[in-house]
Amino acid sequence: MYEFWILITASLVATSCALVGSLLILRRMALLGDAISHSVLLGIVLVYLIFQQASIAWMLSGAVLVGLLTAWLSQFIHQKAPLAKDASLGLVFTWFFALAIVLIALYADHVHLDHEHVLFGEMAFIPFNPLIIDGQNFGPHAFWLAGLVLLINLIVLGIGYQRFKLTSFHPALATSLGIQTAVWHYLLMTLVSVTAVASFDVVGSILVVALMVIPAATAYLLAKSLKQIMLISVLYAQAAVLIGFGLAWWLDSALSASMAVAAGLLLLITLVVKTITKKN
Amino acid sequence: MSLWQDANFIWVLTGTLLLGVSAATIGGMAVLRQRALIGDVLAHAALPGIMMAFILFESTQPGLVVFSALLSSLLGYYAIQFLTQQTKIKTDTAMAVVLSLFFAVGLMLLSFIQNSTMENKSGLDKLLFGQAAAMNANDVNWLIVITLLALSYLVIVFHKLRLISFDPTYAQSLGLKVKRYELSFALVLVFTIVIGLQIVGVILMAAALLIPISIARFWSQSLPVLLWLAALFAMISALISTQLSMQIANMPTGPWMVVILGVLFALSWALRWALSRGWVSTKKHAQTAGNQADV
């Protein structure tokens, strides 16, 4: 049962990451995803400090607020101050992340987080933190959070699929058709934040971006449509979870980092195979 | 003040000041050349090299750390170039892929080391968030050497670098070896990053590179002045954060440095804004000074 809960939770998280990541790389916003996955930590720490607890609803709303703030603030600084887009993004997310680390150090007694958790997540401890309602054990907390976030992602992406597609490929056409591109942009940022917070317990705050970007980039090499990118990247993400689990077991290394490395290995293999088949 | 008589404090302060100045100037050049986040990628990409070197030699000698970090950062640099030039992957995706993959490899090796029985492994995880407080005379000597190298490089090639950065076509027509300068600049940037790893750590290195110059942008439009100002702001934040981290136990220096830099940025912006409002009737250019600063 122990391995089962880890694998199923990681797989749910990886699926969410791959779906959101596909849209991110198509919109050339991979680095914004990186930034949000860092700054979400500040949201988590603030929620811990202000409410002294970490219920799923508070965690999600705190993360969404900080994630949207990151996207909005970096855009705002870029427009109002003499700074390039990437510089203002780097400024905002490093500052948020540094502030979160300082707060963790200052209030170490109140925040049940440490550097290790931020870096690696606590995948191996997922099964030890069960959701108990009325004395009944419903399985790990992280599993339900990951499931809920995947459900949110599926519903939003399912309903808005055509709009997301249009605003990603033809932003100018979308605007001329009267579609509010900004609304869809911030909706995607919301999904990124929600996904980052669900992934936090599982892969830590920094490796989230590996699961978002690497499977999607690999799929981008092979696919010919948005649907294909999403489908292939989800498949790659599942393979990365399984191979990474094996790697971690074999080398006695961290689960989260091993899964990210597995995703990278799959990208490498895909590149090699693609080069060979192209030459023949 | 008694802190100033503490030898350890002097070493740490020297280290953070040196790092602040070299990161602010070299990083400043990178930011002005529209490569603000390349430093972030290179810092993350240094990690697997350092871990691999430790697994092979079981040592954290400064020389070995610098060399291995250099190799793996350069590998990351070329990986980005390969992905963007040889496949249809776009620049931002390539940067995010290289950053997260190299960092993941680094973390995987780190966890492998921590679960193994190797000796002398205690300092490795400090590279992630930096730990200036643990610096000794030997580390600082290394910092002095590398900082001097980086700064003298900047002074010597300043004019050519400026030309290549802002008018590459003209530079090429003059017969300058643009590619060679690009590579040498990348090398010096990586050197600076490697110094920074011990103080601000891998994750926040980008901030030390890009925030000082961003603050300076509010106050000047001339390149030399910008670089001097960036160095000054970096020194202020280094001074304050070292004091804080030595006086309060368990306070990380690097994150404090970044938080203070961010505050300086906000203060500068607010002051600039107030000035432009107040002077709008007498000095017309003050209002637009901020917008025109695109070098």
Side-chain angles (χ1 to χ4, degrees):
Chain A
M1 251 347 235
Y2 176 82
E3 282 88 0
F4 168 77
W5 283 122
I6 292 177
L7 274 174
I8 194 86
T9 311
S11 142
L12 290 175
V13 162
T15 309
S16 288
C17 284
L19 288 174
V20 173
S22 307
L23 280 175
L24 278 179
I25 70 159
L26 280 175
R27 294 172 161 240
R28 316 216 173 151
M29 287 176 187
L31 292 170
L32 195 56
D34 181 39
I36 288 183
S37 62
H38 279 74
S39 53
V40 156
L41 180 65
L42 182 62
I44 295 172
V45 173
L46 286 178
V47 165
Y48 262 116
L49 283 180
I50 297 170
F51 301 105
Q52 303 290 331
Q53 55 153 343
S55 74
I56 289 179
W58 282 117
M59 290 262 275
L60 286 178
S61 31
V64 168
L65 276 180
V66 176
L68 289 180
L69 190 64
T70 309
W72 175 81
L73 195 61
S74 63
Q75 186 69 20
F76 180 75
I77 292 178
H78 166 59
Q79 281 166 353
K80 303 282 177 183
L83 274 188
K85 222 174 188 166
D86 54 346
S88 58
L89 186 65
L91 190 139
V92 172
F93 90 78
T94 50
W95 194 73
F96 279 7
F97 191 75
L99 191 64
I101 298 292
V102 164
L103 285 176
I104 291 177
L106 274 177
Y107 300 102
D109 310 337
H110 306 289
V111 187
H112 296 286
L113 288 174
D114 53 20
H115 294 169
E116 293 271 303
H117 192 153
V118 174
L119 288 169
F120 294 107
E122 295 199 325
M123 209 186 291
F125 298 117
I126 287 173
F128 301 127
N129 184 8
L131 185 70
I132 296 169
I133 302 172
D134 292 336
Q136 259 202 308
N137 189 337
F138 283 92
H141 205 263
F143 165 77
W144 289 104
L145 182 59
L148 177 68
V149 166
L150 180 58
L151 196 67
I152 295 176
N153 274 322
L154 285 175
I155 291 173
V156 175
L157 290 176
I159 292 174
Y161 181 77
Q162 293 301 335
R163 294 290 159 98
F164 275 122
K165 194 165 143 186
L166 195 60
T167 51
S168 302
F169 288 106
H170 297 288
L173 175 66
T175 313
S176 71
L177 287 175
I179 295 172
Q180 299 282 330
T181 42
V183 172
W184 295 96
H185 171 73
Y186 284 108
L187 193 58
L188 180 60
M189 293 305 112
T190 308
L191 291 184
V192 173
S193 318
V194 168
T195 307
V197 78
S199 319
F200 176 74
D201 266 327
V202 184
V203 288
S205 153
I206 297 156
L207 289 172
V208 181
V209 70
L211 287 185
M212 282 188 186
V213 171
I214 302 177
T218 321
Y220 183 69
L221 293 172
L222 304 170
K224 293 195 172 64
S225 70
L226 178 57
K227 225 171 233 153
Q228 282 186 13
I229 293 185
M230 288 183 158
L231 206 68
I232 298 175
S233 66
V234 168
L235 289 178
Y236 267 111
Q238 306 308 316
V241 167
L242 280 176
I243 298 172
F245 192 83
L247 265 180
W249 181 76
W250 176 45
L251 291 173
D252 194 13
S253 53
L255 280 163
S256 51
S258 308
M259 288 178 186
V261 171
L265 287 177
L266 289 171
L267 171 64
L268 211 64
I269 294 169
T270 310
L271 272 175
V272 171
V273 170
K274 219 171 170 261
T275 328
I276 293 171
T277 48
K278 209 163 48 178
K279 271 182 188 149
N280 289 337
Chain B
M1 224 162 69
S2 64
L3 256 185
W4 290 93
Q5 282 143 20
D6 185 351
N8 186 34
F9 174 74
I10 302 290
W11 286 125
V12 176
L13 183 64
T14 319
T16 46
L17 283 175
L18 285 172
L19 164 79
V21 170
S22 52
T25 46
I26 303 284
M29 274 311 269
V31 172
L32 295 177
R33 305 180 64 202
Q34 309 288 334
R35 297 200 189 148
L37 290 177
I38 193 80
D40 195 26
V41 181
L42 295 179
H44 283 75
L47 196 63
I50 300 173
M51 297 302 161
M52 205 64 217
F54 183 81
I55 292 176
L56 293 177
F57 302 103
E58 296 204 17
S59 141
T60 47
Q61 263 191 333
L64 183 68
V65 169
V66 170
F67 183 70
S68 55
L70 197 71
L71 274 185
S72 105
S73 284
L74 280 180
L75 190 65
Y77 185 79
Y78 283 113
I80 296 177
Q81 293 214 322
F82 173 81
L83 283 178
T84 47
Q85 286 166 8
Q86 304 294 321
T87 74
K88 60 176 186 171
I89 292 174
K90 306 289 182 299
T91 315
D92 71 313
T93 308
M95 283 170 72
V97 165
V98 169
L99 182 152
S100 58
L101 179 57
F102 275 67
F103 192 65
V105 174
L107 284 187
M108 188 178 145
L109 294 174
L110 174 64
S111 61
F112 170 74
I113 293 168
Q114 280 174 338
N115 291 337
S116 74
T117 51
M118 288 180 229
E119 286 169 15
N120 308 321
K121 61 189 177 190
S122 60
L124 282 175
D125 53 337
K126 302 291 181 290
L127 291 169
L128 297 165
F129 292 99
Q131 204 194 34
M135 275 197 303
N136 56 33
N138 189 24
D139 293 330
V140 175
N141 285 337
W142 268 92
L143 291 189
I144 294 175
V145 172
I146 297 178
T147 309
L148 286 180
L149 273 177
L151 290 179
S152 42
Y153 166 83
L154 196 62
V155 171
I156 293 167
V157 303
F158 179 74
H159 291 285
K160 284 173 184 157
L161 206 58
R162 167 150 78 174
L163 196 60
I164 288 169
S165 308
F166 303 118
D167 201 348
T169 339
Y170 181 55
Q172 219 146 24
S173 74
L174 287 179
L176 285 177
K177 301 257 189 298
V178 175
K179 271 218 163 130
R180 201 172 289 174
Y181 281 99
E182 294 272 353
L183 183 66
S184 68
F185 182 74
L187 268 175
V188 175
L189 184 63
V190 172
F191 261 123
T192 315
I193 288 167
V194 176
I195 316 170
L197 296 187
Q198 301 197 20
I199 297 165
V200 290
V202 169
I203 300 160
L204 291 172
M205 190 58 217
L209 294 167
L210 71 84
I211 303 185
I213 199 81
S214 307
I215 308 172
R217 289 291 289 274
F218 286 117
W219 301 110
S220 174
Q221 293 174 53
S222 118
L223 183 58
V225 180
L226 276 173
L227 295 180
W228 282 111
L229 278 176
L232 177 74
F233 288 123
M235 285 168 84
I236 295 173
S237 74
L239 190 64
I240 301 175
S241 60
T242 313
Q243 296 258 17
L244 277 173
S245 66
M246 297 301 268
Q247 273 167 350
I248 314 169
N250 280 328
M251 272 293 119
T253 317
W256 266 117
M257 203 163 156
V258 178
V259 168
I260 290 161
L261 281 172
V263 172
L264 287 175
F265 178 85
L267 286 178
S268 284
W269 199 3
L271 197 57
R272 185 81 244 180
W273 184 76
L275 283 178
S276 70
R277 287 242 138 170
W279 291 353
V280 76
S281 53
T282 49
K283 275 189 184 175
K284 270 185 185 161
H285 67 267
Q287 189 188 20
T288 48
N291 305 331
Q292 285 171 350
D294 285 278
V295 181

